[in-house]
């Protein structure tokens, strides 16, 4: 009988330079700072990666505090803490995500199965991923879009004032691409309908989180001319039901849900409530994207372009062929 004892937990902070910079309404950054957890047993090691993000209101919210939260689970894991028990032992957020994904990876390796078979989920196939255009002036965004106009799905970061001009310039630079927009809470009730109309005129398919979380009641009072997706307003299953009148879709991110275990349950619950699903990511390496691929069979939109925004990915990273992203090899995860 295989022991439930875990021999070792290792965790560390890793930094990966971004190709250029990544800019949204809340600011710009030039590197991705990730926290990696490794859980080992009987000569096998499972890995998980997370990116703490202060805007999601989680505790802890810095890489150093997230690292400490993971390391604090050493004794519990040594005492046999299971992935199922982990859900109650830690709050949702990045730290639990890294451990949850590491435990799934280890379970799959121990059972000699791929993670989707272990979890009785559909086998993921290749999917078109969105490619992100950072926030900038209309001219700068049009120039960046022109270089990516061959991609079938573009995600456009907007930022409030001047967004109608930005999206019009982007559409002109990429007349054939499907466009989705992420406002990152930068719009107001005063410009909401005007900006939505501008996006509809540009043929945008979906707008993500136009209003601040907790101040998005106006979405239930207006006629929405295109689909609106919750990101900062939705975290795990418990936050779904109150959003039904305001949103048409939800963005599931493993760093918000606290891991793949909750993300899969959330995807099932969201579908049952009639939401379309986007599977999203932070700017991170393929180790963060790999578990998220298990959500893609249920997703209308796949936004797993994090590694494409980096100057370099980790070894054995996901295969990207243009905008197509493929399921991970077992050498990476799962």
């Amino acid at each position: 009988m295989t022991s439930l004892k875990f021999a070792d937990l290792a965790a560390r902070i890793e930094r990966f330079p971004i190709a250029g910079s990544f800019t949204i309404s809340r600011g710009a950054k030039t590197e991705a700072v990730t926290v990696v957890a490794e859980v080992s047993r009987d000569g096998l090691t499972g890995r998980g990666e997370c990116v703490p993000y202060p805007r999601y209101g989680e505790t802890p919210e810095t890489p150093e505090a997230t690292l400490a939260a993971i390391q604090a689970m050493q004794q519990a894991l040594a005492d046999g803490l299971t992935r199922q028990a982990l859900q109650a032992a830690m709050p949702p957020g990045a730290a639990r995500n890294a451990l949850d994904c590491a435990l799934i990876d280890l379970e799959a390796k121990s059972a000699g199965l791929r993670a989707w078979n272990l979890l009785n989920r559909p086998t993921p196939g290749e999917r078109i991923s969105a490619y992100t255009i950072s926030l900038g002036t209309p001219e700068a965004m049009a120039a960046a879009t022109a270089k990516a106009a061959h991609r079938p799905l573009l995600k456009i970061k907007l930022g409030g004032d001047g967004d109608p001009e930005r999206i019009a310039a982007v559409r002109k630079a990429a007349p054939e691409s499907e466009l989705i927009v992420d406002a990152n809470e930068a719009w107001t009730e005063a410009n909401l309908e005007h900006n939505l109309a501008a996006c509809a005129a540009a043929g945008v398919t979906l707008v993500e989180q136009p209003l601040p979380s907790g101040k998005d009641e106006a979405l239930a009072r207006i006629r929405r001319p295109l689909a609106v997706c919750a990101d900062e307003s939705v975290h795990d299953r418990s936050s779904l039901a109150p959003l039904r009148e305001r949103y048409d879709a939800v963005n599931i991110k493993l760093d918000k849900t606290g891991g793949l275990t909750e993300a899969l349950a959330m995807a099932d619950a969201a579908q049952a409530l009639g939401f379309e699903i986007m599977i999203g990511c932070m700017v991170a390496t393929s180790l963060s994207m790999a578990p998220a691929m298990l959500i893609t069979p249920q997703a209308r939109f796949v936004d797993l372009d994090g590694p494409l925004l980096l100057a370099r990915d980790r070894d054995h990273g996901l295969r990207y062929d243009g905008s197509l992203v493929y399921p991970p090899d077992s050498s990476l995860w799962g």
Side-chain angles (χ1 to χ4, degrees):
M1 181 175 177
T2 302
S3 170
L4 291 177
K5 301 286 184 179
F6 291 103
D8 189 45
L9 167 67
R12 61 187 177 275
I13 295 172
E14 297 184 345
R15 300 175 184 271
F16 293 83
I18 292 172
S21 67
F22 180 75
T23 304
I24 65 172
S25 62
R26 285 188 284 270
K29 60 181 181 179
T30 58
E31 66 175 2
V33 182
T34 73
V35 184
V36 174
E38 295 179 342
V39 182
S40 299
R41 183 188 68 207
D42 298 332
L44 299 173
T45 298
R47 300 188 300 167
E49 177 182 276
C50 69
V51 179
Y53 190 45
R55 179 58 195 90
Y56 288 140
E58 67 179 58
T59 302
E61 58 186 29
T62 66
E64 292 76 16
T66 299
L67 177 67
I70 292 171
Q71 292 171 329
M73 300 303 293
Q74 169 71 73
Q75 188 58 52
L77 289 167
D79 290 340
L81 181 75
T82 65
R83 174 170 55 88
Q84 292 75 19
L86 175 69
Q87 310 308 307
M90 298 184 77
R96 195 179 80 186
N97 176 33
L99 280 175
D100 183 70
C101 292
L103 288 170
I104 293 172
D105 188 27
L106 180 59
E107 287 177 33
K109 287 182 169 69
S110 298
L113 297 170
R114 295 311 311 267
W116 44 87
N117 299 130
L118 176 78
L119 300 175
N120 295 312
R121 307 301 293 200
T123 301
E126 68 272 16
R127 289 292 303 270
I128 291 173
S129 173
Y131 181 82
T132 301
I133 303 297
S134 286
L135 177 66
T137 65
E139 296 77 17
M141 293 181 72
T145 300
K147 296 177 182 177
H150 62 286
R151 295 182 179 274
L153 179 62
L154 298 177
K155 180 172 179 174
I156 313 303
K157 292 289 187 177
L158 295 183
D161 292 339
D163 280 349
E165 292 76 22
R166 291 185 181 100
I167 197 60
V170 164
R171 171 50 81 197
K172 186 176 180 180
E176 303 299 326
S177 300
E178 182 178 10
L179 302 182
I180 58 178
V181 157
D182 187 359
N184 284 115
E185 304 180 284
W187 295 358
T188 66
E189 284 194 40
N191 64 26
L192 173 64
E193 292 185 88
H194 180 62
N195 286 345
L196 284 175
C199 288
V204 171
T205 304
L206 173 140
V207 172
E208 190 178 344
Q209 198 66 46
L211 297 176
S213 173
K215 299 179 180 180
D216 52 5
E217 300 89 350
L219 290 169
R221 298 195 298 265
I222 66 169
R223 177 188 171 275
R224 300 188 293 271
L226 69 163
V228 179
C229 178
D231 181 6
E232 286 83 357
S233 289
V234 66
H235 290 252
D236 56 14
R237 280 175 289 174
S238 66
S239 58
L240 285 171
L243 303 180
R244 295 176 70 182
E245 301 302 318
R246 304 175 191 180
Y247 293 96
D248 309 288
V250 293
N251 188 341
I252 297 175
K253 294 178 180 174
L254 273 61
D255 281 315
K256 288 191 299 181
T257 65
L260 180 59
T261 299
E262 174 63 22
L264 289 168
M266 182 179 174
D268 293 342
Q271 280 193 321
L273 290 171
F275 290 108
E276 288 192 313
I277 292 172
M278 173 188 288
I279 178 63
C281 69
M282 309 302 292
V283 182
T285 80
S286 285
L287 185 56
S288 282
M289 309 301 126
M293 286 296 296
L294 273 72
I295 309 291
T296 60
Q298 295 171 273
R300 164 65 176 88
F301 299 98
V302 175
D303 180 25
L304 297 178
D305 65 342
L308 298 179
L309 305 176
L310 300 178
R312 61 177 178 84
D313 195 6
R314 64 174 68 251
D315 293 341
H316 309 293
L318 290 179
R319 175 189 166 198
Y320 288 88
D321 182 5
S323 289
L324 283 176
V325 56
Y326 291 80
D329 292 332
S330 57
S331 56
L332 173 66
W333 182 88

